[in-house]
Amino acid sequence: MAAALPTGAVVATMPARGPRALPPLIMASLAVWAVALAILALIDQQSLVIPTKLVRGAALMATALLVAGSCGTGDGRYLWKGVACAGGVGLAFGAWAAVKPRELGFGDARMASLVALGAGALSVSGSLAALSCSPLIAGLVGKHRARSHPGPATAAVALGPFLAAGGLLVVIVHAF
């Protein structure tokens, strides 16, 4: 049920006809992407772990649908924008995770790359804005939580839900 809401919101806001309509396989890619983000966000919220196999599987499925959609229409802009954005974000967040492993895990870096794949396919600038604001908002929530409930267990904040919300918001807003 929790995965249905963001997926439905993404699919329902995309125009089906007209000049802004997306090809069906691109829409399918975004639907797979949205489901995966919702599930990953829930898992991270509960366990502070982002399963690598799930991220890789979602990225593979979303990319395969982007490739098929690009080949079917002869328009590779969604694929190239998404892949370029995902690669750049993966490098940046991966470097952050390597330099500051107590602040960011590699699961977060993989999830950020997945967010960039889908959101970047529609809006590179929106994707980068969402991905730069997500850690900031998560940090503010962590600071507030630490002040409200002092103790080591309350200070940890899952970044995944903030990454997912930012990416989903970019895709939904892009439709308008």
Side-chain angles (χ1 to χ4, degrees):
M1 178 67 166
L5 184 62
T7 305
V10 165
V11 172
T13 58
M14 293 295 141
R17 294 185 183 88
R20 297 198 61 198
L22 294 174
L25 288 174
I26 303 300
M27 285 286 298
S29 175
L30 290 174
V32 166
W33 172 83
V35 167
L37 287 184
I39 292 169
L40 287 165
L42 289 170
I43 292 170
D44 193 29
Q45 181 67 38
Q46 293 298 314
S47 64
L48 294 176
V49 173
I50 298 175
T52 301
K53 288 182 181 182
L54 185 56
V55 175
R56 287 182 181 158
L60 182 63
M61 288 175 59
T63 303
L65 288 166
L66 282 173
V67 167
S70 295
C71 290
T73 62
D75 182 6
R77 67 184 155 157
Y78 300 111
L79 172 65
W80 297 118
K81 286 181 358 181
V83 168
C85 196
V89 166
L91 286 173
F93 274 70
W96 182 7
V99 171
K100 301 275 189 170
R102 290 182 173 254
E103 292 179 13
L104 187 79
F106 281 104
D108 294 319
R110 285 188 282 275
M111 184 163 174
S113 187
L114 179 62
V115 169
L117 176 67
L122 297 182
S123 173
V124 172
S125 60
S127 173
L128 296 177
L131 288 164
S132 62
C133 290
S134 297
L136 173 68
I137 295 169
L140 292 173
V141 168
K143 294 262 187 214
H144 174 71
R145 190 180 292 173
R147 285 187 197 155
S148 303
H149 308 288
T154 60
V157 174
L159 181 59
F162 296 98
L163 292 170
L168 291 166
L169 185 63
V170 167
V171 170
I172 291 167
V173 168
H174 185 269
F176 296 103

